[in-house]
Amino acid sequence: HRARLFPNEMFEDLFPSDRGRPSVPADVIATVMVLQSLEGLSDRDACRALQTDIAWKVAAGLALDAEAFHPTVLVLWRNKLRASQHPERIFEAVRAVVAESGVIANKHRRALDSTVLDDAVQRQDTISLLQSQIRRVRKLVPELSHVYVHEMNLTPGRPPCDFEDADDIDRVISELTEDAHELVFAAEELDLSDAQADAVALLALVAGQDVEPGDRPGRWKIAERTAPDRIVSVVDPESRHVHKTSHSYRDGYKVHIAAEPETGIITA
């Protein structure tokens, strides 16, 4: 039922150009993605299974002597799916088959579990968060180039500061925070695109999550607390401080899964 599950028209929006189509059929890619997810394989191991496992070849409709495609093809398709209006279409098709088959009809028990996935970016401290996002906003919104900022704090690497001196750290934090506030304030008068508005909003968020007023007007310091739902990286704003136990703290995502215990079918 591979072709009925994953017809070519299901993926037409991923390749809108008239300059040809992908060399690997869509139903083969979708089948490999389902089997890869089912067996928990990396892209390279999934392609190796497609090359050597007869069951995979039968499922994908390939001849026994057919070559597998390169692992980067899976990366390309995942990126296209992720950026599309329906990123979960392959697994929605599988769920439709599960529902049609009735294999879990009238079965209401669910087993729940969660796990922590590490992110693939480096955790950023307050100074790095502000530096990175100020630079990004100024690049994305050229109209803000006239707003004065402390340029010496925005060069690659750490800003000029005596990191053994608490007062000097507060000076850098104050300068970066004030620069962020000025950019956010100036951006209110502009007609921003969605990407620009998101970048400015993220700057406003990181400028407020880690700091509190200092001992005199215009001065800021790092707050002696961790903000709830703290952004840990502007490269991946969805990553968070996560933990499954009180002794295991990491940066990334907590993923939850629900399965029907008799069949093992994942339902959510």
Side-chain angles (χ1 to χ4, degrees), residues 39-110:
E39 299 194 14
L41 300 181
S42 68
D43 291 346
R44 190 171 299 278
D45 287 342
C47 290
R48 185 178 297 115
L50 186 63
Q51 179 76 27
T52 61
D53 192 320
I54 294 177
W56 278 56
K57 286 186 180 292
V58 171
L62 300 181
L64 291 181
D65 59 351
E67 296 287 331
F69 50 80
H70 195 272
T72 54
V73 174
L74 289 172
V75 178
L76 170 68
W77 276 76
R78 268 200 309 273
N79 287 341
K80 286 183 173 293
L81 284 166
R82 186 182 298 116
S84 72
Q85 295 295 317
H86 302 288
E88 296 290 328
R89 68 188 74 184
I90 291 176
F91 297 102
E92 287 171 359
V94 174
R95 282 194 290 269
V97 170
V98 172
E100 183 179 331
S101 70
V103 69
I104 59 172
N106 301 317
K107 294 182 178 181
H108 303 295
R109 295 178 62 218
R110 296 292 182 267

Side-chain angles (χ1 to χ4, degrees), residues 142-200:
E143 296 90 336
L144 297 179
S145 59
H146 69 280
V147 177
Y148 173 79
V149 295
H150 296 80
E151 296 285 353
M152 68 281 192
N153 292 332
L154 302 178
T155 56
R158 305 294 279 173
C161 175
D162 180 359
F163 286 98
E164 300 296 325
D165 184 345
D167 287 339
D168 209 31
I169 295 175
D170 288 349
R171 173 191 61 80
V172 173
I173 291 292
S174 298
E175 291 174 353
L176 288 169
T177 302
E178 288 298 323
D179 290 346
H181 289 169
E182 288 296 328
L183 290 169
V184 171
F185 178 77
E188 292 179 356
E189 302 178 357
L190 302 176
D191 183 17
L192 302 177
S193 67
D194 289 345
Q196 291 172 327
D198 288 345
V200 172

Side-chain angles (χ1 to χ4, degrees), residues 119-126 128-129 230-234 239-242 249-252:
D119 63 16
V121 295
Q122 183 179 17
R123 178 194 298 187
Q124 293 177 294
D125 61 21
T126 304
S128 298
L129 285 170
R230 179 181 183 269
I231 301 287
V232 300
S233 169
V234 295
S239 180
R240 294 292 186 272
H241 298 304
V242 291
Y249 286 82
R250 289 143 70 184
D251 292 334

